[in-house]
Amino acid sequence: MSPASETVHVNLGDRSYDIVVAAGALAQLGALLRPQLARPFVVIVTDENVGAHHLAAAQEALEGEGISSEAIELPPGEATKSFAVLEDLCGRLLDLGVERSDMVIALGGGVIGDLTGFAAAILRRGVRFVQVPTTLLAQVDSSVGGKTAINVAQGKNLIGAFHQPSLVVADVALLDTLPRRQLLAGYAEVVKYAVLGDAAFFGWLEEHGEALIAGGSNGAPLRTEAVARSVRAKAAIVARDEREAGERALLNLGHTFGHALEAATGYSDRLLHGEGVAIGMGLALDLSAELGFADPAEAQRLRAHLRNVGLPASLADIEGPPLSADALLTHMAQDKKVTRGELNLVLARGIGEAFTQKNVAAGKIRDLLARSGATPSGN
Ligand SMILES: NC(=O)c1ccc[n+]([C@@H]2O[C@H](COP(=O)([O-])OP(=O)(O)OC[C@H]3O[C@@H](n4cnc5c(N)ncnc54)[C@H](O)[C@@H]3O)[C@@H](O)[C@H]2O)c1
Ligand SMILES: [Zn+2]
């Protein structure tokens, strides 16, 4: 039986916090928050999509515990993670009277969490904030670990701060309103935790992934378990390496390839981040096999599962004209520092056994991309 509710503790000394995972956890927001508040008032930052579905319930949960709230609703989408919106948001938080000892709540996906977390990091030199993630990606990834950021013309997430939340409340019931494609994209990050360090979890996902995605009363406890297992994995890595001096890099499994695919498809609807990660993990396992670290069957097993649940699993699954191997390699080189035509990548000895590998020859990667369906050159 999957549990109804799980609490995962993130152990970071005086920056430690709990992640509460449950269907219906939003209703407990007021009770969970109250002991941490200096006064019974908070500001909720959300986006218009999430606000339409879940803001009233969040405010009701707070009112039930005598906590009054103001809400700021921002436009949805990646463009909201900008300096212009950050400036506007900080001004509005100050206008609403947010003081140094107050709490700000991020109710939304990774965009709202990253932006609100960064605003909290710099407002009055740092106010506390709570993550209430509403996408599967945010529940298993962006709400945990304290990375906050906005995007600039020079690239994504280049301006930001480490600022840990004081609490994370992940209500898997909120995922019922999430578009299926977004849910699947978040599921790719769940698969990532299994592939990077937990083969038993991968087996569990093979068994339960489809029911988990389908949702409903059968899916809810499975979602709770999958989110809890994912954040437990992330929390353990973050506790050992909060500022990514080493091990935290494992969380980038599939991401160097994935970011290149996102860049080559123009960060558009053609490919969501999680979809790029799904394809990228397959390529990372291919490359691992190529370099003699893993059995080629591992990549096949991963792809079979990705396809079963409805995720893209290889370059050929990306709609539109084929991408160029050279262009992808250039994006990969920009993503991670290259030294003399060699890249640092996360590879695996098999599902559940990822490791970081320095100095992978760019030529090997180019050959693999070309064999996988990218055109050898061009754009
Ligand atoms: N800080 C980190 O460690 C970290 C990690 C991974 C990703 N990120 C960041 O996260 C962002 C992506 O996050 P995301 O995938 O959650 O995207 P998102 O926040 O843009 O949400 C995706 C879409 O779903 C909508 N939505 C969200 N919750 C909903 C719900 N419950 N019902 C209906 N619609 C809902 C949103 O309005 C948006 O249109 C990127 O900016 C990325 O850089 C950060
Ligand atoms: Zn990711």
Side-chain angles (χ1 to χ4, degrees), residues 17-40:
Y17 53 96
D18 282 338
I19 306 163
V20 178
V21 187
L26 185 63
Q28 301 167 43
L29 182 63
L32 290 166
L33 208 54
R34 226 202 130 99
Q36 299 211 35
L37 297 183
R39 59 170 174 150

Side-chain angles (χ1 to χ4, degrees), residues 304-372:
H305 179 58
L306 295 173
R307 292 214 165 95
N308 262 341
V309 300
L311 273 165
S314 64
L315 290 183
D317 296 334
I318 303 174
E319 300 211 351
L323 305 172
S324 129
D326 282 337
L328 288 171
L329 201 63
T330 304
H331 287 303
M332 288 178 80
Q334 280 162 356
D335 184 63
K336 292 280 166 288
K337 281 176 209 67
V338 221
T339 43
R340 296 181 301 278
E342 297 174 336
L343 279 86
N344 303 339
L345 282 175
V346 183
L347 299 178
R349 296 195 167 78
I351 286 169
E353 291 176 78
F355 62 97
T356 50
Q357 177 73 16
K358 290 201 167 98
N359 307 332
V360 180
K364 288 263 183 211
I365 300 169
R366 186 187 290 108
D367 292 349
L368 170 68
L369 290 168
R371 268 204 318 282
S372 307

Side-chain angles (χ1 to χ4, degrees), residues 137 141-142 185 188-189 192-193 251-255 259 262 273-274 277:
L137 180 136
D141 193 353
S142 61
E189 303 279 4
K192 178 188 79 178
Y193 292 109
L251 296 172
N252 294 329
L253 174 67
H255 278 66
H259 286 151
E262 280 186 276
H273 170 79
V277 171

Side-chain angles (χ1 to χ4, degrees), residues 155-177:
K156 286 187 64 173
N157 298 323
L158 291 182
I159 305 292
F162 282 96
H163 188 49
Q164 299 291 345
S166 299
L167 173 71
V168 181
V169 178
D171 183 346
V172 297
L174 305 189
L175 304 178
D176 290 343
T177 57

Side-chain angles (χ1 to χ4, degrees), residues 264-326:
T265 50
Y267 294 101
S268 66
D269 269 0
R270 212 176 143 196
L271 192 75
L272 299 181
H273 170 79
E275 295 168 343
V277 171
I279 298 169
M281 287 190 291
L283 291 167
L285 283 185
D286 285 340
L287 189 62
S288 303
E290 180 97 350
L291 297 171
F293 293 114
D295 189 317
E298 297 289 287
Q300 286 165 20
R301 184 180 170 196
L302 170 66
R303 289 204 169 94
H305 179 58
L306 295 173
R307 292 214 165 95
N308 262 341
V309 300
L311 273 165
S314 64
L315 290 183
D317 296 334
I318 303 174
E319 300 211 351
L323 305 172
S324 129
D326 282 337

Side-chain angles (χ1 to χ4, degrees), residues 31-106:
L32 290 166
L33 208 54
R34 226 202 130 99
Q36 299 211 35
L37 297 183
R39 59 170 174 150
F41 168 74
V42 295
V43 178
I44 302 172
V45 182
T46 190
D47 75 25
E48 285 150 10
N49 293 338
V50 178
H53 289 296
H54 305 297
L55 178 60
Q59 292 194 293
E60 208 173 292
L62 294 167
E63 269 158 33
E65 292 291 320
I67 302 165
S68 67
S69 61
E70 294 279 354
I72 297 174
E73 287 187 69
L74 301 172
E78 191 68 33
T80 288
K81 275 176 57 174
S82 70
F83 259 124
V85 179
L86 176 72
E87 182 180 6
D88 174 62
L89 173 59
C90 288
R92 287 164 79 177
L93 290 169
L94 292 171
D95 287 345
L96 289 169
V98 173
E99 295 170 8
R100 178 69 187 77
S101 60
D102 281 336
M103 191 78 87
V104 175
I105 298 183

